[in-house]
Amino acid sequence: MVFKKLKARFGGGTTLQTHVHTPVAQPGGLVNGVVEIVGGEFAQDIRYLALAAEARVEVEHGDGESRQDMRFAHQHVAGQFVLHPGQRIDVPFGFALPLETPFNVIAGSELRGVRLGLRTELEIAKSLDKGDWDPIRVEPLPAQRRILDALVNIGCRFKSADLERGRIPGSVLDFYQEVEFYPPPEFSHAISELEVTFLTFPHGMDVLLEGDRRGGFLDSGGDRIHRLSIGHEAIAREDWESVLRHHLHELGRRRGFFG
């Protein structure tokens, strides 16, 4: 299945098309496809062909915020070769996504605030053309999906998702994903919003739960964070609905004179 065809025209009429064949990938998995290169009017010395995974990230400034595309993985798919006039070369690829790759699809539905893509790079002689974005779709790992499902099961309602620039301790990326929920009705008096962030490792994952607490008597409110470290083997054993309900209770518990 081809989601989008990229076309970039280089000197001499060389054209480039990137086809993504993987309908939905997962963090740590592969995005498969092929890059089609067609030679132009004269022979050209191709130095390399590469792909880069990029994410559209929110960046905060002193006077507001902006969005920029940040690279988080890079892979060469072909080395040096000569492209002859009119010659067509198809270069298949299997692009490896990092385990911390954010997701932008849940149960087939797009997360509009999370934009991910592959950018194709072709260096001809000493001229580098980065081409355009080819969108990719990434769904949560089963362990991540279990936590998200448990939040919905206890009454959380999805609000939004985005990517923010910054480094969380233990992370290898320079940005992180936040999935925002409205809390269940039983906690809405204490928490106005719940933000969830996943950090995934080969042995397991950390789940960051950040509750935006409402203020009260002798309690100014503000954010409170709980960090859960979960081994992959524990996902199927725990009652995550009960575990998460407990953490929401603790996130919303007041610290005033009487609480």
Side-chain angles (χ1 to χ4, degrees):
M1 181 176 182
V2 178
F3 287 110
K4 181 182 178 183
K5 291 185 178 180
L6 299 181
K7 283 194 174 182
R9 182 165 291 275
F10 302 91
T14 297
T15 61
L16 178 72
Q17 293 183 335
T18 300
H19 307 266
V20 174
H21 295 161
T22 302
V24 184
Q26 289 186 349
L30 293 177
V31 176
N32 295 307
V34 63
V35 179
E36 175 189 313
I37 309 171
V38 179
E41 301 170 1
F42 48 83
Q44 292 180 308
D45 182 15
I46 307 298
R47 297 297 177 86
Y48 71 85
L49 173 67
L51 294 169
E54 295 184 351
R56 182 65 54 84
V57 177
E58 292 186 4
V59 181
E60 294 186 0
H61 307 283
D63 55 351
E65 64 181 32
S66 62
R67 293 176 179 268
Q68 70 178 61
D69 293 336
M70 294 187 65
R71 172 185 297 188
F72 63 94
H74 187 265
Q75 183 176 317
H76 278 233
V77 294
Q80 187 170 357
F81 62 94
V82 175
L83 183 66
H84 297 285
Q87 181 184 13
R88 171 174 168 169
I89 299 178
D90 291 339
V91 183
F93 63 84
F95 189 91
L97 296 174
L99 270 174
E100 287 189 28
T101 299
F103 49 84
N104 59 359
V105 177
I106 299 180
S109 298
E110 307 283 341
L111 297 182
R112 289 180 295 174
V114 184
R115 185 168 181 250
L116 306 171
L118 292 182
R119 192 179 297 280
T120 308
E121 299 178 353
L122 183 69
E123 182 175 331
I124 300 178
K126 295 183 179 181
S127 175
L128 176 64
D129 194 300
K130 293 187 177 182
D132 297 318
W133 257 35
D134 190 29
I136 58 174
R137 303 171 79 238
V138 181
E139 64 183 0
L141 290 167
Q144 296 171 326
R145 180 64 189 271
R146 176 66 184 98
I147 298 299
L148 294 170
D149 286 346
L151 288 168
V152 172
N153 290 342
I154 64 174
C156 290
R157 292 181 297 116
F158 175 77
K159 179 182 178 182
S160 63
D162 62 12
L163 305 177
E164 298 191 13
R165 184 172 184 174
R167 178 71 67 88
I168 295 177
S171 172
V172 299
L173 301 184
D174 292 324
F175 62 90
Y176 56 92
Q177 181 173 23
E178 285 187 342
V179 184
E180 301 176 358
F181 292 90
Y182 295 107
E186 64 185 292
F187 298 107
S188 60
H189 67 285
I191 301 174
S192 61
E193 182 179 277
L194 177 69
E195 297 176 348
V196 182
T197 295
F198 295 98
L199 296 183
T200 308
F201 314 106
H203 60 278
M205 68 179 181
D206 286 0
V207 183
L208 280 69
L209 304 173
E210 181 175 348
D212 185 359
R213 298 186 304 117
R214 302 184 190 276
F217 181 61
L218 298 180
D219 187 345
S220 60
D223 296 339
R224 183 177 293 156
I225 300 175
H226 283 197
R227 185 165 182 162
L228 291 67
S229 294
I230 305 170
H232 288 309
E233 73 284 351
I235 288 295
R237 297 201 307 260
E238 294 286 346
D239 177 1
W240 291 109
E241 285 78 7
S242 296
V243 171
L244 292 170
R245 185 176 281 110
H246 167 75
H247 280 280
L248 287 180
H249 173 76
E250 290 299 309
L251 286 171
R253 189 157 63 91
R254 294 197 171 166
R255 297 292 192 259
F257 184 78
F258 299 104

